Amino acid sequence: MELTSFVGRRREVAEAKKMLSGSRLVTLTGIGGVGKTRLALRVATDSQRAFTDGVWLIELSKLSDPELVTGVVSDVLGLRNQTVEAPLVLLTDYLADKDVLLVLDNCEHLLEAVAALADTVLRTCPGVHILATSREPLRVRGEAVTRVPPMQTPNPDHVSSLRGLPSYESVALFLQRAVAAVPTFELTEENQVAVAQICARLDGLPLPIELAAARLRVMSVQQIHDRLTDRYRLLTGGSRAAPARQKTLRWSIDWSYELCTPQEQRLWARLTVFACSFELDAAEAVCGDGDRGGDLLDVVAALVDKSILIREEAGDVVRYRMLDILKEYGQEKLQPTGEYPNLRRRFQDWYQELATRAATDSISPRQLHWLRRLEREQPNLRAALQLCLSESGGADAALRMTVGLFPFWFSRGYLREGRLWLDRVLAAADDESSADLAKAQYLVSLLAGVQGDVAEDVGLLARADSLEDRPGDTSMRALRGFVRGFLALYNGDSVSAVTHFEEAIGAAEETEDAVFFHVGSLLGEGVAYMSFGDASEARARHEQMLALAGTLGDVVYCGRSAMIGAWAWWRDGDPGMARAVIEDGFRLSSSADDSFGIGCSLEVLAWIEADRNPGCAAVLLGAAAAIWREVGGTMANYLTGLSYHSDCEQQARRGLGSRQFEEKYQRGSAFSVDEAVRYAFDEQPVPAKKSPEVDALSRRERQVAELVAEGLTNRAIAAKLVISQRTAQGHVENILSKLGYTSRTQIATWLVEHTHQQNPDPERRTQHS
C-alpha cells in the first residue's frame, strides 16, 4: 500500500508496462533507495484491469527462510491448502487457470528460492505474469530486466526558471515531501537554487531526497544545502565528478544518522532486531532501557518525523517499520555496541511470551485480537523461532513457542507451517522426556493426520504415547483425546472418535488449562454424530459448544459449529431454524475472517436448500467448492465425502438438468468469499445499482461479451472475430466501463442473468427465518 503519493517516473512506468506486455517476467533492478518498490506498485496499480484474477503483492523483505517462500505466496493468495502435497505443486495447480500478476518485492536475499518458484510457475501457469524487484536479476529464462534509474535532476550550476524547476522529478518529490513536513513551505526565488542543488547533490535518489526534506522541520533549505555541500566536497575531494550513487546513498544516511540525538541513534540501531513492523509494546519490552513508556514513544515519534520510521495503521492499532536500506544501516551501527546478544534474548523472550499469552486466550473475548496480532507478527515469530533453534539449548524455548502457537496455526489453517516448525523443533530437542516434548509430538501427529499423511501420523502418535508418562496430567489427557479423536474421525472410524472425544472432554472439565481442546473435542464429536445421522446427539454437542465457548467469548469455533446445529435442525424437519443457525454461523465466521467456517456453512446450507431450491443449492455447492480448493485438507474431504453432499448434488441435477446445474455451479465457483456470504444472505453478489440493460452495448460489444462469458482471452477473441488483439482489449474495456464493472466474471454473470430474464430465476428465495 502506498502511504505517500507517487511522483514522476512516467517514462519508467510506461517502459515497465510495455515490457510486461511482452514478457511474463519483468524484474526491476537497482540500488537500495532508488524507488524500485514504489515503481512496481504504480505499474501494478495501472495494470489491474489487464488481469482478470487480480494483482497480488508479496513482500519478501520480512522473510529470511527460503523454505517458506512458496508458503508466503500461497498465504497472500488466500490458498491455505492443508494437504500433504508439496507447496509448489498446490500453488501451480491453483494458478494453472488464473490470469494474475504477482508482484514479488525485495527478492535479492532469496534469489535461488524465488528464481525456482518463478521458473516453475511461468512454465506451468500460462496466465501468470510476475513483476519482481531486486538488487540483481533472478536469471530465469525469459526474464526481462530493466534498471531503475535515479530521478531527473536539474543542472546545479545552471538552474532553470522558477516555473520550470518542478518539472524535474527529483524537485517535485522534494517539494511534495517538504510540504508534508512544513505545510507552509513553497518554492521561491530565494530558495530555488538551494533546492535544485540539494536534488543534484543527492543524485536524484528518492530515499535521500525524502530524508533531506524531512529535515525542514528543524532546518532551513539553505542549512540543509550547506550541510550536504560540505559532505559532497569531502566525499569527492573537491572533484567536480559526481560520486558513485551508492556512496551518495551512504553518506546521505550517515548525515541523517548524525543529526539524530544519541537516544534516537541508539533506538534506530536497536529496532533493527525486529524482522518486520512492530508495535509500541514490543519496542518498549525489547529495546527500552527501563524508560517510561512515554519516553520511548517520544523517541519513536522523533524517528517518524525524521522519516527513519514509517507509521502505519493496522486496523485499530499503529505499527512502525523501517525501510530495508535504513535497517541494514542500523544493524551495522548495532554490531560494534555488543548489545545484539542481549537484544536477541529479549526479542526471543518477548515473542515466546506473546505466543503463550495468545494460547491462554485462544478461547476468550480476546480471541480475534490475538489471531489478528499473531497474523501481523508472523515474520517476527518466525525470526524468534529461528533464533531459538540456532542457539545451543534453545530447543526448550522453541518447544514452548510452537506449542503456544498451535491454536493460531490450527484456527487460521496454517497447518503446513505449523508442521514445519514442529518437525524442526522436535529434530533439535533432547531425547529426554518433557511435557512440552510430548505435547509437540501429539500436535505434529494431528497435523500429519489432518494433511492426510496417515502413515506418518501413526508413527508420530506412537512416539507421543511413549513420551506421555504423566497419567495424572489432565491437560495432557485432554490433548491426547482431542488428537486421537480427530485422527479417528479422519480415518473414518467415527465410533472410536466419539470415545476419544469423550475422554478429552472429561479430562478438560477437570482443569482450566485445556479449554481449547475441550471446545475442539465438542466440535469433533458433533461432526462424528453427523456422520452417524444422530441429529439429537449432534445438536446436543452444538448446544454444549455454544454454552461453553460462546460464554467464554469464542467466535471461530462457534462459527464452525453452526454447520452441526443447522444440520441437526434440518434433519429434525425444521429448515427455518436450520437457516437461522447457519446465518449466525456466517456472521461469526465472517467477523473472524474464517474461510473454512464459511465453507462449512455454505456446504450445509446447500444440503438444506436442495429440496426446495435446487438452483440455489447448485450455486452454494460451487461457492463451497471454491473455498475447498483454496483451503482443502482432510476436514473438507470429510464433509464432501458424506452422503449428504452427493445426495445434494444429485437432487440439484435432477431438478435443474445437467447443463443448468453446471451453469449455477460455475457461477458459485466464481464468487469471492464475501460474494458467497452475500448470496447466502439473499443478497446479489453484484453491484447494488440496477443491472445495465443489453441495449447499453453495441452489437460488436455484445459479441465480445458473449466470448468473454465463454472464458476466452483477448487473444482468442481477436482470432475468433478476426480483429487485432488491441481492438479486442479496447472492446472489453468499453464493456467494463459501460456496465460499471471491474472484472470479466461480472460480465459473464450479467450476461447469464439477461439471457434468462424471460424465465424468472427459480433460486429467488424467501428471507431466512
Side-chain angles (χ1 to χ4, degrees), residues 176-204:
Q176 190 175 91
R177 302 302 188 256
V179 171
V182 181
T184 58
F185 180 85
E186 60 181 351
L187 188 67
T188 65
E189 295 284 354
E190 290 72 29
N191 65 23
Q192 65 169 326
V193 173
V195 169
Q197 292 185 344
I198 287 170
C199 295
R201 294 288 184 263
L202 294 175
D203 276 343

Side-chain angles (χ1 to χ4, degrees), residues 28-49:
L28 308 180
T29 65
I31 64 172
V34 80
K36 300 184 295 296
T37 297
R38 295 299 299 272
L39 178 58
L41 289 175
R42 175 44 56 107
V43 172
T45 299
D46 289 353
S47 303
Q48 286 185 79
R49 292 280 291 273

Side-chain angles (χ1 to χ4, degrees), residues 194-503:
V195 169
Q197 292 185 344
I198 287 170
C199 295
R201 294 288 184 263
L202 294 175
D203 276 343
L205 293 170
L207 175 58
I209 289 171
E210 294 195 13
L211 292 173
R215 287 293 168 190
L216 286 169
R217 292 187 178 95
V218 292
M219 301 171 69
S220 70
V221 174
Q222 193 60 47
Q223 286 174 315
I224 294 173
H225 168 266
D226 292 344
R227 296 284 187 98
L228 289 177
T229 299
D230 289 343
R231 298 186 71 86
Y232 182 84
R233 287 172 181 160
L234 181 64
L235 179 71
T236 60
S239 168
R240 294 181 64 84
R245 290 187 175 115
Q246 194 70 52
K247 291 182 179 179
T248 301
L249 179 65
R250 174 73 188 201
W251 65 252
S252 70
I253 300 175
D254 281 338
W255 179 60
S256 289
Y257 182 80
E258 290 166 12
L259 290 176
C260 289
T261 67
Q263 201 176 10
E264 292 163 3
Q265 291 175 350
R266 185 164 58 250
L267 187 59
W268 178 348
R270 288 178 176 179
L271 290 173
T272 63
V273 74
F274 291 98
C276 69
S277 61
F278 55 87
E279 293 173 28
L280 188 62
D281 57 352
E284 289 170 347
V286 177
C287 302
D289 275 328
D291 316 270
R292 295 188 304 278
D295 294 337
L296 188 134
L297 177 58
D298 290 341
V299 183
V300 168
L303 291 175
V304 171
D305 284 343
K306 294 175 171 64
S307 295
I308 306 304
L309 288 178
I310 298 171
R311 179 186 184 277
E312 298 176 327
E313 292 188 9
D316 58 353
V317 301
V318 171
R319 292 179 69 84
Y320 303 92
R321 68 177 174 89
M322 197 179 295
L323 293 178
D324 290 342
I325 195 73
L326 299 180
K327 182 177 177 180
E328 292 168 9
Y329 184 91
Q331 287 170 337
E332 288 180 21
K333 295 296 183 182
L334 180 63
Q335 292 299 331
T337 67
E339 289 189 307
Y340 180 64
N342 182 49
L343 281 172
R344 186 167 70 172
R345 281 192 297 274
R346 292 167 72 171
F347 177 82
Q348 289 174 227
D349 291 345
W350 165 258
Y351 281 101
Q352 181 186 323
E353 174 63 21
L354 190 78
T356 301
R357 283 188 286 147
T360 302
D361 277 351
S362 59
I363 305 293
S364 77
R366 289 175 60 78
Q367 179 189 60
L368 298 187
H369 161 81
W370 282 115
L371 289 176
R372 289 163 183 159
R373 177 73 189 262
L374 295 182
E375 195 87 54
R376 297 191 298 267
E377 298 285 2
Q378 278 202 87
N380 286 323
L381 291 164
R382 292 167 182 150
L385 282 167
Q386 285 180 318
L387 285 174
C388 290
L389 292 175
S390 67
E391 291 184 342
S392 176
D396 286 345
L399 271 174
R400 288 190 291 274
M401 274 195 74
T402 51
V403 170
L405 287 170
F406 177 81
F408 167 67
W409 288 328
F410 198 72
S411 300
R412 276 296 192 239
Y414 294 126
L415 306 190
R416 188 180 305 281
E417 178 153 356
R419 187 176 177 189
L420 171 69
W421 287 114
L422 282 163
D423 282 341
R424 288 178 175 180
V425 168
L426 289 170
D430 297 329
D431 289 335
E432 182 180 343
S433 176
S434 71
D436 285 324
L437 186 61
K439 288 178 182 176
Q441 199 76 53
Y442 275 124
L443 295 175
V444 79
S445 69
L446 174 59
L447 295 184
V450 172
Q451 290 181 301
D453 195 351
V454 178
E456 186 69 13
D457 81 61
V458 171
L460 291 167
L461 191 59
R463 171 65 175 156
D465 287 337
S466 71
L467 292 171
E468 205 287 281
D469 57 359
R470 297 170 178 77
D473 187 341
T474 52
S475 63
M476 187 71 78
R477 282 167 41 218
L479 167 59
R480 182 181 61 202
F482 168 83
V483 170
R484 284 189 168 278
F486 273 108
L487 292 179
L489 186 67
Y490 294 149
N491 285 322
D493 187 355
S494 296
V495 175
S496 295
V498 168
T499 301
H500 292 305
F501 285 134
E502 283 295 324
E503 176 193 1

Side-chain angles (χ1 to χ4, degrees), residues 577-597:
M577 187 62 183
R579 293 187 192 97
V581 172
I582 281 291
E583 285 203 358
D584 286 340
F586 279 127
R587 290 190 183 96
L588 291 169
S589 295
S590 296
S591 68
D593 300 319
D594 182 22
S595 296
F596 181 79

